[in-house]
């Protein structure tokens, strides 16, 4: 037996025991629940602080907690993530917003409308709730007529250059392309951004920056076993 292999076998039980102990200690390991700002981060979510941390669950549910700001971020398929505003474990629902999208829309020096659909950036475990409204961004080669702008409630964004925003109805996924097609604005530069309907019900495309900041609801599914039964998260099992 190679010395390294012997070494690993000898230490494995001790390492496992340490990992189990870590679960009910405050200093690292995989905690059942951890605070990040005002949020409780519990299973299936888990916090990663540094590159060297061991995974404590599915990568889709990995949360980065910025210690100095108390902001929890859910990773996305692009380099920046979704900041978590709130989590409801009972409803398996999160309220998140797209940090990068907001920064670009609200930038005074490098204003850009979104390029990627939100549904293409979310980890696969999450589904955009149909209770969101669809905020549609258009990057057009030619401005729609004033009449059409008025009829469809198109708002010219502060980015200028024929970039428009429009608030649609309930978010319905990629199928919305037909519904929101606009001549002169190709579908590859039409981007959907789900937004939560504001509590005052006065959703208005002219408030598009605020709406993006307000976030949108996503839901997650529990992992399903081969027998079709839900598996309980480890924290609920004992
Ligand atoms: C977070 O968890 C702690 C301990 O489990 C609990 O006392 C507290 O009420 C929770 N806070 C929220 C906002 O759920
Ligand atoms: C944490 O947030 C602060 C303030 O926004 C930022 O300057 C810092 O870079 C963040 N830390 C990391 C590791 O992203
Ligand atoms: C963040 O804070 C936690 C607990 O307060 C600590 O364990 C962790 O090392 C800190 N992470 C960084 C990157 O400072
Ligand atoms: C998070 O949701 C809970 C329950 O709906 C609510 O009481 C709380 O105020 C919310 N927190 C934030 C920061 O929105
Ligand atoms: C519109 O698309 C063009 C070409 O891709 C890009 O250069 C421009 O920055 C976009 N405009 C906005 C406001 O994002
Ligand atoms: C967008 O679509 C137009 C017309 O279909 C095409 O000419 C253009 O190359 C496409 N742009 C991108 C970035 O795919
Ligand atoms: C949206 O808000 C703008 C400015 O606040 C206002 O002029 C416009 O009438 C509003 N549109 C709707 C449909 O309420
Ligand atoms: C947008 O930028 C302005 C000015 O920089 C800032 O006051 C405002 O809070 C920003 N809006 C959001 C929703 O972040």
């Amino acid at each position: 037996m190679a010395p390294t292999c012997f070494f690993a076998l000898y230490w494995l039980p001790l390492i496992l025991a340490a990992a189990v102990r870590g679960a009910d200690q405050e200093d690292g390991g995989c905690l059942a629940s951890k605070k990040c700002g005002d949020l409780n981060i519990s299973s299936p979510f888990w916090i990663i602080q540094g590159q060297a941390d061991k995974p404590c669950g599915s990568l889709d549910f990995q949360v980065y907690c910025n210690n100095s700001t108390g902001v929890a971020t859910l990773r996305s398929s692009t380099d920046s993530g979704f900041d978590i505003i709130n989590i409801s474990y009972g409803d398996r629902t999160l309220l998140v917003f797209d940090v990068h999208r907001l920064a670009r829309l609200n930038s005074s020096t490098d204003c850009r409308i979104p390029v990627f659909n939100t549904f293409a950036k979310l980890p696969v475990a999450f589904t955009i709730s149909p209770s969101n409204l669809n905020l549609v961004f258009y990057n057009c080669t030619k401005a729609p007529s004033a009449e059409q702008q008025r009829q469809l409630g198109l708002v010219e964004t502060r980015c200028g250059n024929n970039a428009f925003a429009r608030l649609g109805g309930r978010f319905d996924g990629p199928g919305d392309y037909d519904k929101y097609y606009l001549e002169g604005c190709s579908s590859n530069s039409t981007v959907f951004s789900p937004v939560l309907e504001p509590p005052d019900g006065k959703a208005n495309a002219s408030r598009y920056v605020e709406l993006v900041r307000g976030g949108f609801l996503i839901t997650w599914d529990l992992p399903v076993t081969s027998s079709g039964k839900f598996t309980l998260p480890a924290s609920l099992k004992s």
Side-chain angles (χ1 to χ4, degrees):
M1 187 184 281
T4 46
C5 182
F6 172 76
F7 185 79
L9 285 177
Y10 180 78
W11 284 105
L12 192 59
L14 293 179
I15 292 166
L16 288 178
V20 169
R21 263 202 321 276
D24 42 34
Q25 282 175 0
E26 281 300 313
D27 59 346
C30 296
L31 300 171
S33 180
K34 214 169 175 180
K35 274 218 129 40
C36 181
D38 292 334
L39 291 173
N40 279 339
I41 307 297
S42 312
S43 175
F45 298 94
W46 54 281
I47 289 184
I48 188 152
Q49 296 286 1
Q51 294 287 336
D53 283 12
K54 293 189 305 291
C56 293
S58 156
L59 286 181
D60 280 2
F61 295 97
Q62 176 185 313
V63 169
Y64 171 76
C65 182
N66 186 320
N67 271 1
S68 55
T69 56
V71 171
T73 306
L74 185 70
R75 73 191 193 97
S76 89
S77 61
T78 58
D79 47 358
S80 64
F82 300 98
D83 278 7
I84 302 173
I85 302 172
N86 213 342
I87 304 178
S88 168
Y89 290 94
D91 301 336
R92 294 204 295 274
T93 299
L94 263 82
L95 180 62
V96 297
F97 76 94
D98 189 325
V99 197
H100 195 53
R101 174 163 298 184
L102 175 67
R104 299 233 296 184
L105 280 171
N106 203 26
S107 166
S108 50
T109 52
D110 187 24
C111 187
R112 300 277 183 78
I113 63 166
V115 176
F116 295 109
N117 278 304
T118 302
F119 56 74
K121 298 175 71 177
L122 274 178
V124 292
F126 298 94
T127 307
I128 296 171
S129 164
S131 65
N132 296 294
L133 299 178
N134 194 357
L135 180 62
V136 187
F137 290 99
Y138 298 98
N139 187 344
C140 309
T141 47
K142 143 178 171 299
S145 70
E147 173 61 12
Q148 199 176 18
Q149 290 185 33
R150 201 186 48 79
Q151 267 178 6
L152 299 177
L154 285 167
V155 170
E156 182 150 29
T157 65
R158 48 197 294 281
C159 303
N161 295 317
N162 292 334
F164 293 88
R166 169 188 181 187
L167 193 61
R170 300 275 162 216
F171 180 77
D172 193 28
D176 275 353
Y177 274 120
D178 284 345
K179 209 189 295 177
Y180 297 110
Y181 172 75
L182 201 56
E183 215 185 312
C185 320
S186 86
S187 52
N188 60 13
S189 47
T190 298
V191 169
F192 300 146
S193 193
V195 291
L196 193 65
E197 190 169 7
D200 61 8
K202 296 206 183 79
N204 185 326
S206 63
R207 292 164 62 190
Y208 67 90
V209 173
E210 258 179 89
L211 288 171
V212 169
R213 176 65 184 89
F216 57 98
L217 291 172
I218 55 178
T219 57
W220 75 88
D221 284 326
L222 288 178
V224 177
T225 64
S226 50
S227 67
K229 295 251 166 61
F230 287 121
T231 53
L232 286 175
S235 61
L236 296 179
K237 269 182 180 153
S238 50

